[in-house]
Amino acid sequence: MISIALSKGRILDESLPLLESAGVVASENLDASRKLIIATSRAGVRLIIVRATDVPTYVQYGAADLGIAGSDMLAEHGGSGVYQPLDLRIARCRLMVAVRKGFDYAQAVRQGARLRVATKYLQAAREHFAAKGVHVDLIKLYGSMELAPLTGLADAIVDLVSTGNTLRANGLVAVEEIAQISARLIVNQAAYKLKRAEIQPLLDALVRAAR
Ligand code: AMP
């Protein structure tokens, strides 16, 4: 049995057509279902539904053989124990620094001000500001990052930006790009060796589907 870990939301919406092209069709409507383990049309392949942040963990420990995870989540996790053989080029967006309109970010950086930055992406933010030599106090949030600069919790946020609509609707502007993000196929390293005969055809089909 091969388990593929997926998270609901954008990744699932954009992964299902890819999986279907690779011959893996969920046996029920995932939007309506509350089941966390879903059989598929492909014998010996099932889907398991986990939180986006948990996909790399399930695959690292072999509770799932394969997974589809945003490169943002992989960066936070560190990627240990997993191969990343394929950029699926779906769920694309950018990890960016954003501030309240009117806040002079460039000036604050030039002056060496100590910035308070709220984010879910501590690892990526830490590396980014360290590389720039900017002193920051990072505040961990789990969602609605856009609220932080509006309520005085932070000077800036680090968050995913796709269309930019969420930033605009909240009077924020993006001031710096940290990384281009897309979803990656990940594979448990031990499973790749021990279940190669089952995993390789699936990988090949996904490579063809993602072209
Ligand atoms: P947008 O308004 O299109 O710029 O989207 C921004 C909101 O959607 C933010 O709350 C982001 O955290 C979230 N978001 C954007 N792209 C992604 C993605 N690829 N995966 C997960 N969340 C995303």
Side-chain angles (χ1 to χ4, degrees):
M1 174 64 70
I2 298 291
S3 298
I4 307 175
L6 293 170
S7 55
K8 283 199 172 178
R10 236 183 112 176
I11 293 223
L12 185 68
D13 296 345
E14 297 187 28
S15 296
L16 286 181
L18 265 183
L19 288 167
E20 284 183 19
S21 310
V24 179
V25 182
S27 62
E28 50 194 293
N29 178 351
L30 287 168
D31 285 331
S33 175
R34 287 174 175 255
K35 274 198 200 163
L36 300 175
I37 298 180
I38 313 279
T40 74
S41 59
R42 191 165 172 134
V45 177
R46 64 181 188 176
L47 306 179
I48 64 172
I49 308 300
V50 304
R51 284 200 51 155
T53 42
D54 296 336
V55 170
T57 306
Y58 271 80
V59 177
Q60 174 188 5
Y61 289 100
D65 304 291
L66 273 65
I68 297 180
S71 48
D72 51 329
M73 294 303 163
L74 284 165
E76 294 307 302
H77 170 268
S80 66
V82 308
Y83 292 128
Q84 301 182 33
L86 182 60
D87 182 349
L88 295 168
R89 295 186 292 182
I90 56 171
R92 289 166 98 155
C93 59
R94 299 187 292 165
L95 186 66
M96 303 199 76
V97 182
V99 298
R100 228 180 38 245
K101 217 185 277 171
F103 179 85
D104 194 341
Y105 174 75
Q107 165 89 339
V109 168
R110 263 199 310 277
Q111 286 179 339
R114 194 171 183 95
L115 294 175
R116 283 210 298 189
V117 179
T119 187
K120 186 158 85 174
Y121 305 97
L122 287 184
Q123 198 58 32
R126 193 175 291 118
E127 282 171 23
H128 173 74
F129 291 110
K132 278 179 63 93
V134 176
H135 297 291
V136 290
D137 291 319
L138 294 175
I139 301 172
K140 169 83 179 180
L141 289 180
Y142 293 88
S144 300
M145 259 88 77
E146 297 83 4
L147 259 181
L150 305 179
T151 54
L153 179 64
D155 304 302
I157 60 171
V158 167
D159 195 9
L160 300 178
V161 179
S162 178
T163 60
N165 287 341
T166 307
L167 291 184
R168 264 191 299 281
N170 291 292
L172 303 179
V173 287
V175 287
E176 221 160 54
E177 177 177 306
I178 297 180
Q180 306 250 354
I181 304 296
S182 59
R184 310 289 159 91
L185 182 73
I186 57 174
V187 185
N188 174 269
Q189 289 179 349
Y192 187 59
K193 295 186 185 92
L194 298 172
K195 299 186 184 177
R196 185 82 181 251
E198 291 164 88
I199 289 177
Q200 194 63 50
L202 199 50
L203 258 178
D204 293 342
L206 282 166
V207 168
R208 282 194 297 275
R211 261 192 208 132

